[in-house]
Amino acid sequence: MQSLPSPSCGRVCAIRQMTKQEHGFPVESTWPEFKLSSMLLSDTVRKFHESIDNEWDFLQRSACQTAAGRALWKHVIHDPVADVLAGEKYLTSLHEKMKKDHLNNAREISGVILAVRTLWFDSKIEAALKSFNGEDTQVVLLGAGMDARAYRLSCLKESKVFEVDFPKLLQMKAALLQLAMSSTNEYEKLAVMAKSLVRVAADIRDDDWLEKLKKSGYLPERNTVWVLEGILYYLSHQQAMQVLNIIAANCNLTHTVLLADFMNKSSTTLSQSNFQFYSDWPDHLLPSLGFSDVKLSQIGDPDAHFGFMHDPFNLFNRLRKLPRSIQTNPDDNKPCCRLYLVSASGSPDQTID
């Protein structure tokens, strides 16, 4: 496989200039061929992913599902190692869903939420780092999973990146990345693009994750971007609020930016056993915790569109037309399941209205 050039974080801006797209795929394109890399087919990688399937719980395995989405939306997301981190099982499963959606001319192709979410976080990380005007900045990925931003975003070149997650997940991730970097063909140019990368083995549901983060070199007084992508709704209400309060407390010490996605109450009904925490009004919740500047977007909004939402009748555009207070869609009596993409910031000299 030909190596892709290393992109800048500004790649997401270029996506907006692509030719008109339908459902996230160029209208003139045929369905892309699906071919597993030779590394994915190797015995070593297959054994690694077999242990993931047998030993990891749903929350831990969701990291591989996310990586599969990034790998299969590679026409807009540059993540050259996502396929190795995802594994054959999740790649094959999602590809079949996407192919079926495409052939059925579905209004939403499977994985589009993940693609938009990834690009939104990429763009907001870049914007946050620019707001610090070149000052030393830390980027903390809580529940980092199989995230590979430290290897693919050039805007992190002056930032110290911390990845916080379960010990066995981080160990597996490191092993898979090492295999990729030692490859003689497909992944030979893979390298850390961040100024530095530190993996912190900790469960953010426990009380000691912040202390472990500090012991790993995190400095509370230094400007920090906190990234909570696809994690809050797996926590209990108490756990999620504890995490948010800890981050909000940093606003009293230094310039702090929070990037997170929130489900509304209706969304948690999609999977009662897995989704717990929700907030119908995160743009009200976060100021009450200490953030002064909070901006909320829904998929399909101008900064959460990326050229995928041309159809006015797709699910996301229909939801955006309804007041957020409505929990049941009057057109079909189905729950209004919303995903909110939220950026918030605060600093010691802030004024909260």
Side-chain angles (χ1 to χ4, degrees):
M1 184 175 71
Q2 185 176 1
S3 298
L4 294 173
S6 298
S8 69
C9 293
R11 176 182 174 85
V12 294
C13 298
I15 291 169
R16 297 190 181 99
Q17 301 171 3
M18 293 173 65
T19 57
K20 182 178 179 182
Q21 295 181 344
E22 184 176 341
H23 315 318
F25 290 84
V27 294
E28 67 273 17
S29 70
T30 57
W31 184 253
E33 180 184 358
F34 178 60
K35 184 178 180 181
L36 295 172
S37 68
S38 58
M39 176 163 286
L40 268 171
L41 297 173
S42 69
D43 290 340
T44 303
V45 171
R46 279 182 160 167
K47 286 180 180 178
F48 277 151
H49 280 287
E50 183 179 346
S51 68
I52 289 174
D53 293 337
N54 294 333
E55 300 171 15
W56 290 16
D57 62 21
F58 176 86
L59 176 56
Q60 294 161 343
R61 293 196 304 271
S62 70
C64 296
Q65 294 171 333
T66 298
R70 290 175 179 151
L72 293 178
W73 281 77
K74 61 184 178 182
H75 57 293
V76 292
I77 299 172
H78 176 83
D79 194 339
V81 77
D83 60 341
V84 173
L85 297 174
E88 181 178 357
K89 173 182 175 180
Y90 295 106
L91 288 169
T92 302
S93 175
L94 180 57
H95 181 267
E96 288 304 310
K97 292 177 183 177
M98 293 172 67
K99 183 176 181 180
K100 182 179 179 180
D101 290 341
H102 187 73
L103 294 176
N104 291 336
N105 197 29
R107 294 188 186 276
E108 303 89 26
I109 297 290
S110 294
V112 68
I113 293 179
L114 194 147
V116 170
R117 190 183 77 181
T118 297
L119 294 171
W120 183 89
F121 273 91
D122 286 355
S123 65
K124 297 304 179 183
I125 290 171
E126 179 182 21
L129 294 175
K130 285 183 177 179
S131 74
F132 292 124
N133 297 319
E135 298 178 26
D136 284 343
T137 305
Q138 301 167 127
V139 177
V140 181
L141 305 171
L142 291 185
M146 294 297 188
D147 188 295
R149 286 188 170 93
Y151 294 83
R152 66 181 184 83
L153 295 186
S154 64
C155 61
L156 296 172
K157 63 183 179 181
E158 300 299 330
S159 299
K160 188 172 187 177
V161 175
F162 296 89
E163 295 182 346
V164 183
D165 215 319
F166 300 110
K168 62 182 178 182
L169 189 153
L170 293 179
Q171 291 170 4
M172 179 66 74
K173 179 180 180 178
L176 288 168
L177 287 169
Q178 186 58 45
L179 278 174
M181 287 189 287
S182 63
S183 169
T184 57
N185 42 42
E186 294 138 311
Y187 311 96
E188 59 183 344
K189 293 185 179 180
L190 184 68
V192 174
M193 301 186 76
K195 183 177 182 180
S196 64
L197 172 61
V198 179
R199 295 193 174 98
V200 183
D203 186 342
I204 64 172
R205 297 173 297 186
D206 296 335
D207 296 331
D208 61 351
W209 66 266
L210 181 61
E211 190 60 33
K212 290 180 178 179
L213 184 60
K214 291 178 181 178
K215 289 180 179 179
S216 299
Y218 164 76
L219 301 175
E221 67 275 10
R222 182 167 294 175
N223 296 338
T224 304
V225 180
W226 297 84
V227 180
L228 282 73
E229 181 183 8
I231 187 63
L232 279 174
Y233 26 84
Y234 290 107
L235 307 180
S236 69
H237 180 83
Q238 180 180 358
Q239 292 163 348
M241 290 303 298
Q242 182 181 47
V243 169
L244 292 173
N245 274 302
I246 288 173
I247 297 172
N250 269 41
C251 295
N252 297 320
L253 300 174
T254 187
H255 190 176
T256 301
V257 174
L258 169 69
L259 304 174
D261 56 327
F262 293 76
M263 284 185 174
N264 70 343
K265 184 176 182 179
S266 294
S267 295
T268 61
T269 64
L270 293 173
S271 180
Q272 289 282 5
S273 62
N274 296 316
F275 301 137
Q276 301 180 63
F277 176 73
Y278 68 86
S279 176
D280 290 317
W281 303 96
D283 44 340
H284 296 175
L285 170 65
L286 294 177
S288 74
L289 301 182
F291 291 96
S292 60
D293 185 15
V294 180
K295 298 177 182 177
L296 177 146
S297 299
Q298 297 185 69
I299 292 177
D301 282 350
D303 68 337
H305 188 290
F306 303 102
F308 303 159
M309 303 296 162
H310 294 292
D311 187 343
F313 299 106
N314 71 30
L315 172 65
F316 312 107
N317 285 328
R318 285 188 284 119
L319 281 175
R320 289 170 57 236
K321 294 177 181 178
L322 296 174
R324 286 166 53 195
S325 58
I326 294 179
Q327 295 288 337
T328 303
N329 193 325
D331 293 333
D332 55 18
N333 290 320
K334 293 182 179 179
C336 292
C337 299
R338 302 176 188 267
L339 183 71
Y340 298 127
L341 304 171
V342 183
S343 62
S345 62
S347 61
D349 57 353
Q350 68 187 3
T351 299
I352 301 177
D353 297 330

